[in-house]
Amino acid sequence: MSYVDEVIAKVIEQNPAEPEFHQAVKEVLESLRVVVDANEEAFRKDALLERIVNPERQIKFRVPWVDDKGQVQVNTGYRVQFNSAIGPYKGGLRLHPSVNLGIIKFLGFEQIFKNSLTGLPIGGGKGGSDFDPKGKSDREVMAFCQSFMTELSKYIGADTDVPAGDIGTGAREIGYMFGQYKRLKGVFEGVLTGKGLTYGGSLARTEATGYGLLYIVDEMLKCHGDTLKGKTVAVSGAGNVAIYATQKAQQLGAKVVTVSDSTGWVYDPDGIDVAALKEIKEVKRARLTEYKNYRPNSEYHDGKGVWTVKVDIALPCATQNELNLDDAKALVANGVMAVAEGANMPTTLDATEYLQKNGVYFIPGKAANAGGVATSALEMSQNSERLSWSFEEVDSKLKDIMVNLYHNIDDAAKKYGFEGNYVVGANIAGFEKVVDAMNAQGIV
Ligand code: NDP
Ligand code: 2IT
């Protein structure tokens, strides 16, 4: 059995009931085959792949808090510190009822390679809890965040591990967590990113993931002699990534006709009204059913359906495995030309393969959504030098990072004979830097 197949089999055996983690490992290791086969003896001797797929540390803890009725609630908190070869652990905190160890491990594993691709000195980590912020009062969210941070604070620090936002964790949650960390430790340091602008946050971090997604798509189209101007786009999700992806797509001349949330989706033939979307989701924290009040020409549908709309470009920006083989078939039948992942692993493996086989340009999340964590690393730099850069300065650095990232993955794919396969390109380019750093640091 090849080394790659052996390690995949071991991961499945040793981590039962973690299907998302298996999926992420399979995707990465399968596309590293060409590199691993060429170095099989050395990699095997050093158990390099076993070390890559095993987190350096995983922390699981109880999070008790008191709800508004006086009832004690208990959630589970996680932080997986996956790989620190190239820098302090870096990655978001997800707050969603679906969170379990396997989900956090898949996200942490992806984060290693994503962070490497940014070109910045950040290792891979991820955390979160099965707490659901939906429908909770601000006081309940604060109580949870303070309890969560009381335990998490023992394991993180500006030079050790720097968490940030993800699904369910936005500016409000980061604020409560930062306040509790500072109170416990008595240190004002850049221990979290995505902070508010009045206490060390970076301009453009809020926009960064969505904007970065469009910068890389724009560069890819340019390199294929095309442009975003006049393209029709389907976006899924209606959260941080989806909102700013929609905004930047429209600034670059495309028309976004869909958004979705966990209960339904919107089709707006005139192009999504970003101001309305922001008010519904960022201010009111309401459902997309409200969108029709702002745009009477739009349609609201219950359930799933964004990928059935005829578009040129699809940008999944909600959650994992939201674009499956049937969705890929519908997109291809409607003539889609590009799919880029704003979310982490939103496309199933068979759907990715189908899209690629049918000539669709496909940029995987670890490249396409890297603008968020890259800008988090810029926030860390600003915190270290105790300065704040202008919006334009951060945005222009973000754009450079995404353009370089595109060429990096494109070149890696070409170098190994997989021209146009950005999955292979991203995994190889991300992996090579981490392996180099791991080898230099000995068996640790
Ligand atoms: P938000 O919580 O801001 O928004 C998530 C959106 O996706 C919401 O509209 C939510 O619906 C929808 N959604 C979440 N879970 C599900 C689900 N199980 N089924 C259907 N819809 C769902 O999160 P973000 O925008 O920050 O994150 C979106 C994706 O992007 C995630 O995969 C995240 O890991 C990834 N990502 C985020 C980055 C960031 O900087 N924030 C950086 C890189 C990647 P509802 O409104 O009903 O809750
Ligand atoms: O998946 C991701 O890259 C994020 N949620 C952002 C992580 C970060 O540290 O900014």
Side-chain angles (χ1 to χ4, degrees), residues 79 89-94 107 111 114-115 122 125-126 162-167 193-194 205 209 241 342-344 365 369-377 380:
R79 186 72 182 166
Y89 310 106
K90 182 85 196 87
L93 296 170
R94 177 172 293 191
L107 290 162
Q111 201 83 40
K114 181 195 305 190
N115 293 4
I122 38 178
K126 199 85 187 188
V162 183
D166 193 80
I167 291 178
T193 58
R205 175 61 188 90
T209 311
V241 181
N344 285 306
N369 69 42
V373 75
T375 307
S376 278
M380 290 165 72

Side-chain angles (χ1 to χ4, degrees), residues 45-101:
K45 185 155 177 278
D46 290 345
L48 186 85
L49 295 186
E50 285 87 342
R51 283 188 290 142
I52 288 258
V53 299
N54 274 291
E56 288 175 18
R57 190 174 300 105
Q58 50 192 49
I59 300 142
K60 182 177 174 191
F61 51 95
R62 184 173 76 201
V63 188
W65 56 279
V66 183
D67 72 15
D68 284 347
K69 295 189 187 110
Q71 174 66 48
V72 174
Q73 302 286 343
V74 179
N75 288 101
T76 304
Y78 303 89
R79 186 72 182 166
V80 174
Q81 299 181 329
F82 225 117
N83 192 301
S84 61
I86 64 173
Y89 310 106
K90 182 85 196 87
L93 296 170
R94 177 172 293 191
L95 299 182
H96 193 271
S98 63
V99 163
N100 57 42
L101 184 61

